[in-house]
Amino acid sequence: PPPDVLTVGVAHLPPYIITKDVDEVSGYFVEVFEGIADRAGLTYQYQEVPLQDYLRGPNAAGVDIIPASPTDEKTLHSMDFSTLIHRETISIAFSAEDDRTSISAADLVGLRIGLVDTSNTREFARVAGIKDSVLYEGLKDLFDALEAGEVDGLFAPTATLKAQLKGRGLDKEFQVSDQPILTFDAAVGLRPGLGVMRDQLDIVIP
């Protein structure tokens, strides 16, 4: 039978999961998970796990649940999933003088592509096939680099690119590709044997 108190694995994966200690866990995925888990009436406790184990799923991490996992071919057979809780598109921002409105990973060969230096962004870039990346500490440094001509384009969530370019008055100089270069779907990941818990979550996921 499922345990009375579920162990939820977390790893430092900003901005999605931010772990200062197990008593102070925050981030977008944590907020979403807590909202649906509380509505589903689940009792849970957090346990910090190594990032690589988190990415491999609950079994590898030695926990019952992880708040959110990519639902891709690598993970579909290693855990059970709730209904999707998040979809995010990742795009490229590049010069508006470029005649193309859409761009693929193959088009980026030889170009300097800036991205924020976080483990999840680096992994997304690897999956997208971006080879020549330039890493920056945060969004300010990233967009400063674009404006200064240090990079040829940026790799970031589509909504972030559009909002930052507009806010900086750069939306005439740079465009965001019409088609995302990567789509990231995420759902709550559960170890096998927690089908009842999965069903309780699915009932309350919007």
Side-chain angles (χ1 to χ4, degrees):
D4 293 333
V5 179
L6 297 165
T7 299
V8 179
V10 290
H12 194 57
L13 194 64
Y16 303 105
I17 302 174
I18 300 168
T19 58
K20 294 185 177 178
D21 56 53
V22 292
D23 296 321
E24 192 173 352
V25 181
S26 60
Y28 175 74
F29 283 160
V30 172
E31 293 174 8
V32 173
F33 171 76
E34 289 181 350
I36 59 177
D38 291 347
R39 289 198 299 275
L42 302 185
T43 303
Y44 54 90
Q45 62 185 4
Y46 289 118
Q47 176 179 312
E48 190 165 4
V49 300
L51 177 60
Q52 290 305 313
D53 290 344
Y54 177 93
L55 295 173
R56 290 165 56 201
N59 277 348
V63 297
D64 299 309
I65 290 178
I66 56 175
S69 170
T71 57
D72 55 31
E73 291 183 5
K74 291 193 301 182
T75 60
L76 282 176
H77 302 295
S78 63
M79 68 190 92
D80 198 3
F81 284 106
S82 71
T83 299
L84 291 182
I85 62 170
H86 178 73
R87 167 167 284 179
E88 185 166 29
T89 59
I90 315 291
S91 296
I92 298 290
F94 58 105
S95 173
E97 295 180 359
D98 194 310
D99 292 337
R100 295 169 295 184
T101 58
S102 187
I103 198 165
S104 67
D107 299 319
L108 302 177
V109 175
L111 298 181
R112 299 162 301 165
I113 303 300
L115 52 104
V116 175
D117 186 13
T118 63
S119 54
N120 57 303
T121 304
R122 292 194 302 271
E123 176 65 12
F124 288 154
R126 185 194 65 77
V127 171
I130 294 175
K131 306 293 185 183
D132 191 11
S133 61
V134 184
L135 304 178
Y136 293 92
E137 186 172 342
L139 286 176
K140 182 181 184 303
D141 292 341
L142 184 68
F143 283 87
D144 284 350
L146 180 68
E147 194 168 3
E150 295 177 11
V151 292
D152 301 304
L154 302 183
F155 175 83
T158 308
T160 298
L161 290 173
K162 291 181 176 180
Q164 289 286 330
L165 290 176
K166 185 174 182 179
R168 285 171 166 252
L170 298 175
D171 50 333
K172 303 299 182 186
E173 296 180 50
F174 299 94
Q175 60 180 319
V176 177
S177 54
D178 283 350
Q179 297 296 321
I181 199 167
L182 185 70
T183 298
F184 167 59
D185 288 336
V188 177
L190 305 91
R191 66 169 173 79
L194 296 179
V196 172
M197 303 300 185
R198 179 204 59 220
D199 292 344
Q200 287 180 248
L201 290 170
D202 284 348
I203 289 172
V204 299
I205 293 174

